[in-house]
Amino acid sequence: MYIKKKAEITKIRKSGIIVAKILENIKKYIKPGISTNKLNKICHELIIQEKSVPACLGYKGFPKSVCISVNDVVCHGIPNKTEILKNGDILNIDVTIIKDGYHADASKMFYVGYISKENNILCQEAQKSLYCALKVIKPGILINKIGYAIQKNIRKTSFSIVKNYCGHGIGKKFHEKPQILHYYCKQDNQIILKKGMIFTVEPMINLGSDKVQIMSDNWTVKTIDKKPSAQYEHTILVTKYGCEILTHQSTEKIPKKLNNIIKEKT
């Protein structure tokens, strides 16, 4: 039920290229003094230029085209005119588009001017935890190996993993099965990864406590201790030898296609 056909993979791959392009192009606009609402408008225009649809806009009532989460906002931040970026801020921009009926979803962290050393390390470890997960993805492994890889990396730090939200299957629908936990759960062992599965991996890493709270808008999720949070996300295809990052960007520190099958010596 989770396996995508060749034609579907081709369409999701095209959607992934567009998402990656938008995340690459938005960077030059991120500077002190710009509002998150302005960034949302720019992203919206970029999506439309690609003859695509912003999947977030109107999704279960979400009012904007992308999610922008600043500092202590963990996820689902709603862009607005009064939220003005300032030097030292960190923010996550989460882009999901629909092209020819198929979704792709990715997010990454951006820095405003010069950020603190602590926040820089937080963002680096969030990205590293995602990469650690991608390096274990291959056919035949239990799905909980993904969360184990993330947890193993974060346990080396003083940071915490948000457990309230997870990755997800993606395709014709924004959110499909299976769910991808970002921490190890022994009981999450009912699914074995197979070639053709497509899902997101999107660990959210907090500087302090892993506890979060939903604001009165019923969307914005913040850390309960008001400390910063960081997240990186990719849409992933399970391949014969490992995985392919369908939302791969030019600045990545990891290849687009990963061969995670260790060939035995003969």
Side-chain angles (χ1 to χ4, degrees), residues 98-110:
I98 309 169
K99 176 74 172 178
D100 297 331
Y102 284 85
H103 296 70
D105 183 8
S107 77
K108 66 179 294 184
M109 299 302 296
F110 296 92

Side-chain angles (χ1 to χ4, degrees), residues 5-260:
K5 298 177 182 178
K6 186 176 180 180
E8 292 180 301
I9 293 170
T10 297
K11 289 182 178 181
I12 299 172
R13 187 179 280 119
K14 288 180 180 179
S15 296
I17 290 171
I18 293 171
V19 169
K21 185 177 179 180
I22 292 163
L23 287 172
E24 290 174 342
N25 289 340
I26 195 63
K27 182 179 179 180
K28 60 179 173 285
Y29 299 100
I30 297 173
K31 55 188 176 181
I34 194 169
S35 71
T36 54
N37 191 62
K38 179 63 176 177
L39 290 176
N40 173 78
K41 287 183 177 180
I42 295 170
C43 286
H44 180 88
E45 291 169 1
L46 292 172
I47 293 169
I48 298 304
Q49 286 173 14
E50 295 292 337
K51 297 181 179 179
S52 303
V53 177
C56 289
L57 186 59
Y59 179 77
K60 295 186 177 181
F62 192 81
K64 299 293 182 176
S65 297
V66 296
C67 298
I68 302 181
S69 304
V70 183
N71 295 329
D72 64 331
V73 178
V74 178
C75 61
H76 305 159
I78 301 175
N80 66 82
K81 294 179 181 179
T82 61
E83 187 172 39
I84 309 299
L85 297 183
K86 61 184 183 300
N87 188 61
D89 285 341
I90 60 172
L91 65 149
N92 177 277
I93 299 183
D94 192 341
V95 178
T96 309
I97 67 101
I98 309 169
K99 176 74 172 178
D100 297 331
Y102 284 85
H103 296 70
D105 183 8
S107 77
K108 66 179 294 184
M109 299 302 296
F110 296 92
Y111 307 163
V112 184
Y114 295 97
I115 66 170
S116 69
K117 181 179 179 181
E118 194 173 42
N119 282 350
N120 184 49
I121 295 172
L122 172 67
C123 292
Q124 288 182 3
E125 289 297 335
Q127 185 179 53
K128 184 180 176 182
S129 69
L130 171 59
Y131 286 171
C132 286
L134 303 189
K135 289 176 182 177
V136 303
I137 294 175
K138 60 184 178 181
I141 69 164
L142 291 172
I143 200 168
N144 62 9
K145 296 293 184 182
I146 296 173
Y148 179 81
I150 294 168
Q151 183 171 292
K152 183 179 179 181
N153 179 65
I154 295 302
R155 275 187 171 175
K156 299 174 185 177
T157 73
S158 60
F159 307 141
S160 62
I161 303 168
V162 175
K163 297 182 175 65
N164 305 62
Y165 301 92
C166 60
H168 52 87
I170 190 167
K172 280 189 175 182
K173 295 181 180 179
F174 195 154
H175 295 91
E176 301 179 351
K177 294 180 180 180
Q179 291 188 336
I180 308 296
L181 301 184
H182 300 125
Y183 59 96
Y184 179 67
C185 178
K186 187 176 181 180
Q187 289 72 35
D188 187 29
N189 61 356
Q190 302 302 308
I191 297 174
I192 296 175
L193 297 189
K194 296 181 181 180
K195 177 185 174 183
M197 286 183 173
I198 296 181
F199 49 77
T200 69
V201 183
E202 46 185 297
M204 304 168 197
I205 308 302
N206 291 351
L207 185 67
S209 169
D210 65 342
K211 301 294 186 268
V212 300
Q213 55 186 334
I214 301 175
M215 299 294 100
S216 58
D217 59 22
N218 293 320
W219 278 107
T220 305
V221 179
K222 289 189 175 185
T223 58
I224 202 164
D225 57 12
K226 299 183 180 180
K227 292 184 178 181
S229 182
Q231 179 191 23
Y232 283 83
E233 173 187 14
H234 275 307
T235 296
I236 304 300
L237 165 68
V238 180
T239 64
K240 182 178 179 180
Y241 296 107
C243 69
E244 177 182 347
I245 305 171
L246 301 182
T247 46
H248 190 273
Q249 296 142 52
S250 60
T251 55
E252 300 287 351
K253 302 173 184 177
I254 195 170
K256 182 176 183 179
K257 296 181 179 181
L258 298 176
N259 184 344
N260 295 329

